[in-house]
Structures are given as C-alpha cells and as structure tokens.
Amino acid sequence: MNSINRRSVLLAGLGVAGAGALAACSASGSGSGSAPALVEPSGSAVAAAEKKRTSTGKVHSLTLTAAPATLDLGGGVTAKSWAFSGRTPGKELRVSAGDTVAAELSNQLPNKTTTSIHWHGIALRNDMDGVPPVTRTAVRAGANFTYRFIADAPGTYFLHPHVGVQLDRGLYAPLIVEDPKEPLAYDDEWVIVLDDWVDGVTGTPDEVFAEVRQGMSGMHMGGSGNSSGSSGGHDMGGMDGMDGMDGMDGMDMGGGSSPSASGDGMPMKFMLMGAESDLLGGDAGDVKYPYHLINGRVPADPDVYEGKPGKRIRLRIINAGGDTAYRVVLGGHKLTITHTDGFPVDHQRVDALLVGMGERYDVLVTLADGVFPLVALAEGKNVTGMALVRTGSGRAPKATVRPKELNGMIMTASQLRAADDVRLPSKKADRVHRIELTGGMAKYNWAINGRAYDMRNPTAAPITVEEGQRVRLDFVNSTQMWHPMHLHGHTYQLGQAGPRKDTAIVLPKKKLSVVFDADNPGQWMLHCHNAYHGEAGMMALVAYRA
C-alpha cells in the first residue's frame, strides 16, 4: 500500500476542508442590539419557496405510530423501547424525487410524552421540519399530526424524533428518495442502518443523559488503585478545571470500563471511559452501549442479504446512532463510494469508510462467491455490529470477526470531491459566521459560541442569514472531543470543492469551513448530532431575516 493508505496520514484532512487561509469572520449573530425580525416557519417566504420545488403530483400517504414496543434484536435479546409501528428500524419509506410525502404521526407514547419527526437531510419546507418549539409545537400524547412536504432531492435520508434524547430509542426509519434519472448502474439495493443500543437493556436514554450531564466533576469514581491519573479517552487536562474531582488517583480509566461508586457520589453505569480513536482525534465517545446493531439485529443473529456472485449492489448506509461513529467494511470486498448525505461525489474505491452519527454514505460493491461479514466497528470502542452477505455456500463467520479491510484504506469525507453537477459555483461569501464548539466533560456544558441553546427561548441570539446569500460557517472546535455537526434544511459544501453534506465531523482542536447558499427560508437548527451533546446545549438557530 502507498502512504495514503495509512490511517495516520488521513487525520490532517478530516478536520479542515478547503485550501488557503480563512477570511476574517463576521459576528456570529449573537451580538447586542435589538432582536432582528425573522422569517416565520409558516410565513409567506416559506410558502413561496415551496411553490418553486419541482413536483410530480404523486402523494405518498402513510401513518407512523410512535408507541411502546418489545423489540426482538435477535439472539434471544429483547428490548422494551419505543418504535414506529412496533419495529426498528421502522419500515423504509421510498419515494421518487418530486413526490409529496403525507406522513401522519400518531403519538401513542406513555406518560404524556410529546414527540415529533425530523426528516434528516431533506431540504423541505420549514414548518414541516419537526423541531419543537422552533418550527411548530410538539405532537401531544394521544394526538396526530400530518407532515406534508415535497421531497425534491434524490438521496439517502432518515427520519427520527427531535425531542429530548428520543433519537437514542427505536424511533427511526430510512427515507430513500429515488432519482428517476438514476445515472448509476446496479442490480439491487440494501439499506444498512447502524445503531448503538441501550434502551430497555441496561437503561433508557433519559437515564443515560441524567448520568452524563453530571459531568466528570459530578462523578465519584473509585477504586482500583490506578495512580497514574490517566484519563483514557477523556482528557482531564482540557476539561474546564476539575472542581469536585477529589480522589483522582483512584480512578480506573482503562479499557472502556465504567468504575462503580464508592462512598457518596453517582455511580458510572453508562459513562464510557478509555474510548480512543486516532481517526476521531482522541476521545471517541461518552456512552457505554451493550449492543451495536445493523438493521436492528445483534451480531450473534445478524440480518442477512442474499444475492448472487457477480451482481453489483448499492449499499445505502445510515448511522442512526446516538454516540458512536462506525468504521464500515464488507469482508473480502472493495467499496466504491458514490454519494454522501444524498449528494454524488467523484467515485472512490476504498476498503473502509468512517460514518459519524447522522451521516449517510452510498457505495457500490460487486459481490464475490461465499458468505461475507458486513462489519461496523464502533470507532474507539473495540466492539462491532455485524450483518451477512450470502451469495453461495459456506459457514457464517463468528460474530466477533474483524476483517482485514478494517485496517486498509479508510476514507473520510474531507478526502472526497463533489461531483461536477452538484459542486457549488465559486463565489465570495456574503456572510461568514464563526461557529465555535465549546464545553467539556467536566461540567458536560456543551455549547455553541459558549451559549447553551435554550428551548424555552428558541429565537434568542440567532445566527442570521438572508435569502440569496452565500454563507460560510467556520466550525472551530475548541473542545477535546469530535462533533458531527448537522445543519437542517440545507446542504453545505466542505471547502472549495469538497462533498455536499448536511452532517460533517469536526475534529477536536481543528477548524472546518463549509459554504451553502441560503435558498430555503425559515428557522433551522444547527447542532451536534451526538444525542447527548445536542441535548446538553450544543445547538444554535440559523434564521433568515425577514
């Protein structure tokens, strides 16, 4: 292999996109002065933008019932969770570009729990984005609401709630928008949904958040006699000062274990220590998950795709996880990356790809003869999810198999280039915003520009843009952790010619510049797609001025 195949070489490209020095940044929109008038989510500008969308006139009507469910994860593992219509992932929704989706959400969740549906990656009309209280109120328990919008951009997307940490339950499903003029040639498709699973097994996402939000300074970690002071995946030196961290020399930080409480203090049931990844710049994640699923199945009893040797299939890979990036391979095969986050890229042939939470990748693969593991390595966590591809006779590999491709050429988004027909024309930015990612594990005070987003005052300190502007966002990650940053209602381009995406990994202590055209008026969330970082406050509002 040449030098580009070495993981150490790939790190430089992941955190920074584009060439040359960054221009000076404008104010982030959170300055002093009177609050600007903003485009309303159901205002005339939103209606006008919707009229411009190309429509086929075909309507797909469906009902999504959010309710408690006992889910069979395979291998004798069951989980009491919440899901759409009793299954996870939910039933795939497949439409053609220009079709109208009319999806009725029926909220049958317990304990007066409100919910919503966010159509992740779709540049839809603002009032259908499913982000309470920004775009409209949440759907009350026992109530129904119909989301109706035109899905005019082909690609691989998914749907999930945008209330609390409901993302980390079973409430998600793939959304595939087909291209009626599909340029790719292939014989079949297989949708791959990756997920880290805790709900109904060792606890609930709300219990996870209640623990991790205490931060490292709120934990009482005791006693295995490790006096090195090493923090494993969580860098104690960069965590806002360690007030309350008495007894640090008693911490056991190794191997991803969770120290138990000794004496007073909160036990660490869910917080994961020692998860490290060079690809992610250090700390790989916060949460200890008992299972990592592919299409809702544990590795001991995997989902199986059956095909024929020599056939070319398209894998649509979706990371629906809450806290885990995955390194994805198909044992014995090369993968050709064709799309990321719904948009085409110049094709790249690789052994593996890195998929952060909220990201999607499409790849083509020509199937060999036999039985092959599709493995999703939980990056930095030393555990895997697995599915199988069967095209002939042979024994299935063990659930713990680690194909050699995991250590081959690994592709990250910053190494990709947008296809010519979707690359944004070169243009000077009309507006530049510095988006500093702040906070740390000590106090679990994740934020944007030092301000935790307040759902009780959703339009305070907006990051403002105007319709028709070319906007540049300079993500500056001042934290010790990586963050997959997701922008609703738009796709942005990494640097001058990088891929078009709506979710991109920003490495610790790195800068990532992205550009987009402000062509979808309304009020849109910008946030970390780590479910727990976002809920802690790493969100902001990108709002169009009226």
Side-chain angles (χ1 to χ4, degrees):
M1 290 185 176
N2 59 37
S3 60
I4 197 171
N5 296 346
R6 301 182 64 86
R7 284 188 294 135
S8 59
V9 178
L10 304 184
L11 295 178
L14 185 58
V16 182
L22 295 173
C25 298
S26 73
S28 65
S30 58
S32 59
S34 59
L38 305 177
V39 169
E40 292 297 324
S42 295
S44 59
V46 173
E50 182 73 353
K51 286 183 179 179
K52 295 178 183 177
R53 301 186 201 280
T54 302
S55 173
T56 63
K58 184 174 182 179
V59 179
H60 294 263
S61 298
L62 69 151
T63 299
L64 292 161
T65 302
T70 300
L71 303 171
D72 178 8
L73 304 183
V77 179
T78 58
K80 290 185 176 181
S81 185
W82 301 342
F84 290 123
S85 304
R87 53 178 286 183
T88 195
K91 184 179 180 181
E92 173 189 302
L93 173 57
R94 187 173 286 259
V95 303
S96 288
D99 290 353
T100 295
V101 174
E104 182 182 42
L105 169 61
S106 175
N107 182 0
Q108 303 301 322
L109 297 178
N111 304 320
K112 299 183 179 180
T113 301
T114 62
T115 192
S116 73
I117 295 178
H118 167 55
W119 308 87
H120 184 107
I122 296 282
L124 77 176
R125 55 178 299 147
N126 189 220
D127 54 359
M128 294 293 134
D129 193 39
V131 182
V134 176
T135 55
R136 61 176 58 247
T137 58
V139 180
R140 299 189 312 273
N144 293 9
F145 176 77
T146 298
Y147 295 88
R148 187 181 181 94
F149 59 90
I150 298 170
D152 62 347
T156 301
Y157 308 99
F158 70 118
L159 57 102
H160 62 77
H162 219 282
V163 174
V165 288
Q166 292 179 13
L167 168 67
D168 219 12
R169 294 186 185 260
L171 292 163
Y172 55 82
L175 170 57
I176 308 302
V177 182
E178 295 183 324
D179 187 344
K181 299 179 181 179
E182 179 59 64
L184 294 180
Y186 53 92
D187 300 300
D188 199 9
E189 290 192 11
W190 188 24
V191 177
I192 302 294
V193 183
L194 313 174
D195 192 21
D196 41 17
W197 193 272
V198 65
D199 194 33
V201 179
T202 55
T204 69
D206 293 302
E207 290 169 341
V208 173
F209 185 61
E211 179 180 305
V212 299
R213 73 184 304 185
Q214 301 299 316
M216 294 293 296
S217 57
M219 299 295 171
H220 189 104
M221 294 166 290
S224 65
N226 177 1
S227 60
S228 67
S230 167
S231 64
H234 295 305
D235 183 343
M236 312 299 276
M239 298 197 306
D240 309 314
M242 296 310 297
D243 48 325
M245 288 299 291
D246 296 331
M248 274 182 62
D249 14 335
M251 291 189 292
D252 177 4
M253 298 297 197
S257 61
S258 296
S260 59
S262 62
D264 296 333
M266 189 173 182
M268 292 174 63
K269 182 179 180 182
F270 303 109
M271 186 176 283
L272 178 67
M273 308 304 301
E276 291 197 21
S277 163
D278 289 343
L279 276 175
L280 296 175
D283 193 339
D286 299 338
V287 181
K288 185 177 184 180
Y289 290 93
Y291 297 107
H292 293 269
L293 310 180
I294 297 182
N295 292 344
R297 308 291 292 182
V298 298
D301 189 4
D303 188 36
V304 180
Y305 173 86
E306 295 187 356
K308 294 181 179 180
K311 294 295 185 181
R312 198 180 199 200
I313 64 170
R314 179 180 190 166
L315 305 181
R316 296 181 182 263
I317 301 167
I318 301 166
N319 185 349
D323 180 72
T324 308
Y326 291 98
R327 191 184 311 192
V328 180
V329 303
L330 178 58
H333 293 76
K334 293 276 191 179
L335 307 174
T336 299
I337 300 174
T338 64
H339 296 72
T340 179
D341 292 1
F343 279 74
V345 297
D346 290 348
H347 292 190
Q348 293 285 346
R349 187 172 163 87
V350 301
D351 293 303
L353 62 155
L354 180 70
V355 190
M357 296 86 77
E359 289 189 294
R360 294 91 60 212
Y361 283 86
D362 293 16
V363 303
L364 294 177
V365 59
T366 301
L367 299 180
D369 188 2
V371 184
F372 306 96
L374 187 140
V375 172
L377 173 66
E379 188 66 32
K381 298 183 179 183
N382 199 31
V383 285
T384 56
M386 187 185 77
L388 291 179
V389 170
R390 180 179 287 277
T391 63
S393 60
R395 299 180 64 179
K398 293 181 179 180
T400 55
V401 65
R402 300 290 177 94
K404 63 180 177 61
E405 287 82 4
L406 288 168
N407 294 314
M409 182 178 177
I410 305 165
M411 186 62 66
T412 59
S414 62
Q415 297 163 277
L416 298 173
R417 181 179 173 88
D420 290 345
D421 58 340
V422 299
R423 190 175 306 128
L424 294 179
S426 180
K427 179 182 176 183
K428 183 179 178 181
D430 302 301
R431 196 69 185 268
V432 181
H433 289 290
R434 176 185 171 93
I435 309 296
E436 186 175 1
L437 312 180
T438 58
M441 286 299 300
K443 300 175 183 177
Y444 215 75
N445 56 344
W446 305 111
I448 289 178
N449 294 331
R451 179 192 293 267
Y453 188 71
D454 185 358
M455 287 291 183
R456 297 166 299 181
N457 191 9
T459 58
I463 296 166
T464 59
V465 301
E466 295 182 24
E467 190 169 1
Q469 287 185 330
R470 169 65 59 85
V471 181
R472 194 180 82 214
L473 304 178
D474 291 339
F475 293 110
V476 179
N477 186 355
S478 63
T479 80
Q480 298 284 349
M481 288 195 70
W482 67 286
H483 302 284
M485 297 305 297
H486 174 51
L487 174 62
H488 290 209
H490 302 77
T491 62
Y492 48 64
Q493 181 171 288
L494 274 60
Q496 297 297 316
R500 296 279 302 278
K501 292 179 64 61
D502 53 72
T503 311
I505 291 172
V506 186
L507 292 178
K509 304 301 181 182
K510 298 291 185 180
K511 181 185 292 183
L512 174 68
S513 289
V514 304
V515 294
F516 69 94
D517 288 331
D519 56 5
N520 196 15
Q523 300 177 24
W524 303 100
M525 296 307 302
L526 172 68
H527 65 95
C528 177
H529 220 268
N530 182 308
Y532 302 98
H533 294 182
E535 182 64 9
M538 191 172 273
M539 292 190 181
L541 187 70
V542 175
Y544 283 62
R545 287 180 175 266

